[in-house]
Amino acid sequence: MSRLSRTSLFENDLSSIINAFFISFNIGALLKIIGAYKTKGIPALAVFRQLFTLVFMHKSLFQALRSNETDNIAKDTFYRFLNSCNINWRRFVHLLAGKVIGGKLEHLTDLDRVNVFIVDDTLYERARSLKVELLSRLYDHCKHVYTRGFRLLTLGWSDGNSFIPVDTQPLASGDQKKRFYESRNVDKRTCGYQQRIMAQTKAPLVMLDMLRSAVAAGIHAKYVLFDSWFSAPATILKIVAEKLHVIAMVKKSAKVHYFYNGEKLSVKEIYRKNTKRRGRSRYLLSVEAEILGGDGITLPVRLVYVRKRGKRKEYLVLLSTDISLSEEEIIRIYGKRWQIEVFFKVCKSHLRLTKECHATSYDAMVAWNAIVMSRYMMLALDKRLEEDSRSFGELFFDVCDELPDITWTKAFELLLDTFLDVAAEKYFLADEEIESLLGTFMDTLPELLKKSLLRCA
């Protein structure tokens, strides 16, 4: 047992997790559905797997090619695979997310639990690039500077415990003057052309297309969560028309009005006209109002004013189109939106979302985003299966009942110690003979027990 290093054990465990993920969700069949297949030569699945595992090898594609760790796959093969405009990577993410959610996570979720869609965007920075297709000049709201890059609009699904990315789209600026480089000419019948058109579309319209595609792929949720950047009344009305409820933070703008007590008022004016709750209440004010549509359509909503943490004189405003929900429930459900911020952090810091791909082709960026989303799905699923006791099956509960005070690995260790003591004291065996006998015994154990013992060694 001492001859095996921790590194080799980690690599074996990681390889087994990746193999199980690829087999369980039939990644090869999904690639064929989206048009990623070859009639001869190296299979597309082998190329995808090499790109998928790069981040876990702590190497870039250049480093892997230089050290001959790509199973004899040439550089041009990778680039042709990534730059293909005939592969529908958005559909790949839809299909894989649908299998992960429908095949695994929904069985671990109670029927009464509220599932949600979460929409947000983050800066996909390409500050040192210049000749990247549709590269745009964007404002970084965190650093308060202008930079080059894209807005990575993402739609995710959550049951409150696990977050699964469902769709993603790098958005460029709709203003041609703010784009440094235009897209190359591609066949209008290809997926690449549709992706480039979508990249120049306004974010609210892309969000609606993402929601429709997710529902068409069999992924369902009751509420859509997003922050104030997408909370225009017209956008909310369109989402409700898709038979989805909205829980969102709204802007405290004087230009946006709600119909309240027969008047058109902003959220600040509504706040000033009402008496606030005192004490340590979770919210300051809750009122029912109506959203005014362009065609005279009205939609009843509930506005919940919440005190801003750390700043008692400031407040945030949450909007819910489901007026049957209580104020506490609206606050609790909106709290699930934070999971997409964790997702962005993990993808950027650990899965190298913005640092791994330096391609100038827009198709390659879309492909890399799909690969990163797949990595996150595998990690999120593995984490859920490790933590949720319901994923262990009947054996978990049987073992808990039989050995409530001691683990089976500890019991096995005590049994081996007893065996060694008896062999040395009663049969007077030498250390070399005992080691040989123990090695023979370990070789005859089932692989499952052997792997578990090696982890504990």
Side-chain angles (χ1 to χ4, degrees):
M1 288 186 291
S2 60
R3 296 176 183 175
L4 296 176
S5 66
R6 292 180 179 269
T7 303
S8 61
L9 287 175
F10 171 76
E11 291 176 351
N12 291 334
D13 288 344
L14 180 60
S15 178
S16 63
I17 292 172
I18 295 175
N19 287 335
F21 182 77
F22 273 61
I23 293 172
S24 297
F25 300 105
N26 203 354
I27 301 297
L30 296 183
L31 291 174
K32 288 183 180 180
I33 292 174
I34 65 170
Y37 60 90
K38 298 175 68 176
T39 56
K40 61 181 180 179
I42 299 173
L45 179 61
V47 180
F48 179 85
R49 184 186 173 91
Q50 285 292 329
L51 297 172
F52 184 91
T53 56
L54 281 176
V55 71
F56 304 110
M57 297 165 55
H58 303 288
K59 290 186 177 181
S60 64
L61 179 59
F62 170 77
Q63 292 171 331
L65 289 168
R66 187 176 182 181
S67 57
N68 297 322
E69 297 184 31
T70 57
D71 294 340
N72 296 322
I73 303 177
K75 177 179 68 174
D76 292 343
T77 304
F78 287 111
Y79 289 160
R80 283 196 299 269
F81 179 77
L82 292 172
N83 293 329
S84 174
C85 60
N86 296 310
I87 302 177
N88 191 344
W89 286 110
R90 281 189 63 193
R91 191 182 181 197
F92 174 80
V93 177
H94 292 157
L95 294 174
L96 182 57
K99 283 196 168 188
V100 172
I101 295 169
K104 297 291 183 179
L105 296 182
E106 285 188 345
H107 301 298
L108 303 176
T109 304
D110 190 87
L111 295 177
D112 296 330
R113 180 177 287 274
V114 176
N115 297 331
V116 298
F117 286 125
I118 308 173
V119 182
D120 201 0
D121 63 349
T122 186
L123 183 65
Y124 190 100
E125 192 173 0
R126 295 293 299 269
R128 297 185 179 182
S129 303
L130 185 60
K131 294 186 178 181
V132 178
E133 286 188 78
L134 299 175
L135 185 69
S136 304
R137 184 172 182 262
L138 301 174
Y139 184 72
D140 188 342
H141 293 275
C142 295
K143 300 178 182 178
H144 301 288
V145 295
Y146 282 94
T147 186
R148 298 189 185 101
F150 300 85
R151 290 176 61 195
L152 186 63
L153 184 64
T154 303
L155 171 68
W157 175 94
S158 174
D159 60 356
N161 292 316
S162 300
F163 177 87
I164 300 297
V166 174
D167 201 348
T168 181
Q169 178 72 52
L171 299 180
S173 175
D175 187 357
Q176 186 177 4
K177 296 179 180 179
K178 294 182 179 180
R179 294 199 295 266
F180 295 96
Y181 204 78
E182 293 302 312
S183 62
R184 62 187 176 92
N185 294 325
V186 296
D187 193 332
K188 293 183 179 181
R189 297 169 294 179
T190 62
C191 301
Y193 178 79
Q194 299 298 328
Q195 290 279 6
R196 287 164 173 79
I197 296 298
M198 190 69 70
Q200 302 172 60
T201 307
K202 292 184 178 180
L205 297 179
V206 178
M207 177 180 65
L208 289 170
D209 180 77
M210 286 181 169
L211 290 171
R212 296 190 188 106
S213 300
V215 173
I219 304 171
H220 301 288
K222 188 174 182 180
Y223 299 99
V224 182
L225 312 182
F226 45 80
D227 59 14
S228 58
W229 292 101
F230 303 94
S231 60
T235 303
I236 295 174
L237 289 171
K238 291 178 181 178
I239 294 175
V240 174
E242 300 294 329
K243 298 181 180 180
L244 293 168
H245 280 296
V246 172
I247 298 179
M249 185 180 297
V250 298
K251 294 181 180 180
K252 295 184 289 186
S253 172
K255 298 180 180 179
V256 180
H257 297 89
Y258 300 87
F259 199 69
Y260 177 71
N261 288 342
E263 299 180 272
K264 290 184 179 180
L265 303 174
S266 66
V267 291
K268 289 185 177 180
E269 292 171 335
I270 295 175
Y271 184 76
R272 287 194 293 264
K273 284 180 173 290
N274 288 274
T275 304
K276 272 65 72 178
R277 293 165 61 93
R278 297 182 179 275
R280 296 186 177 181
S281 174
R282 294 196 66 185
Y283 63 95
L284 296 169
L285 176 66
S286 175
V287 299
E288 290 188 15
E290 291 181 335
I291 288 180
L292 304 174
D295 300 329
I297 301 174
T298 60
L299 176 69
V301 297
R302 182 180 297 278
L303 298 175
V304 181
Y305 294 75
V306 183
R307 183 180 287 110
K308 193 171 183 179
R309 183 177 297 177
K311 297 182 180 180
R312 292 184 57 84
K313 294 184 179 181
E314 297 185 19
Y315 58 88
L316 306 173
V317 186
L318 301 182
L319 178 147
S320 172
T321 58
D322 187 356
I323 60 176
S324 64
L325 290 177
S326 64
E327 292 79 3
E328 290 79 7
E329 188 69 3
I330 293 172
I331 297 171
R332 186 190 68 83
I333 294 175
Y334 186 76
K336 297 180 181 182
R337 197 203 69 83
W338 185 252
Q339 290 187 327
I340 199 170
E341 303 291 351
V342 178
F343 162 76
F344 287 142
K345 178 67 176 178
V346 171
C347 288
K348 288 184 177 182
S349 299
H350 302 287
L351 300 182
R352 300 178 63 83
L353 174 65
T354 58
K355 297 181 180 178
E356 194 170 26
C357 178
H358 300 285
T360 59
S361 167
Y362 187 80
D363 298 304
M365 284 192 298
V366 173
W368 272 112
N369 289 336
I371 293 171
V372 174
M373 301 301 113
S374 306
R375 293 169 180 169
Y376 189 90
M377 289 186 211
M378 183 191 74
L379 296 176
L381 179 61
D382 185 66
K383 181 177 181 293
R384 179 66 175 270
L385 296 180
E386 288 282 340
E387 293 180 351
D388 198 331
S389 60
R390 289 170 293 182
S391 65
F392 300 154
E394 296 285 337
L395 179 62
F396 171 77
F397 299 102
D398 294 337
V399 171
C400 287
D401 292 336
E402 292 176 7
L403 299 174
D405 298 324
I406 188 172
T407 62
W408 72 270
T409 51
K410 185 65 177 177
F412 195 86
E413 184 180 343
L414 294 175
L415 182 63
L416 283 181
D417 291 339
T418 305
F419 169 77
L420 295 176
D421 292 339
V422 172
E425 296 177 5
K426 187 173 181 179
Y427 296 100
F428 305 99
L429 297 179
D431 293 340
E432 293 78 11
E433 295 174 324
I434 295 176
E435 188 71 18
S436 176
L437 186 60
L438 183 60
T440 304
F441 173 73
M442 293 297 296
D443 291 338
T444 59
L445 288 176
E447 288 296 322
L448 179 61
L449 296 179
K450 194 183 299 183
K451 288 181 179 180
S452 299
L453 292 172
L454 289 174
R455 292 194 195 99
C456 302

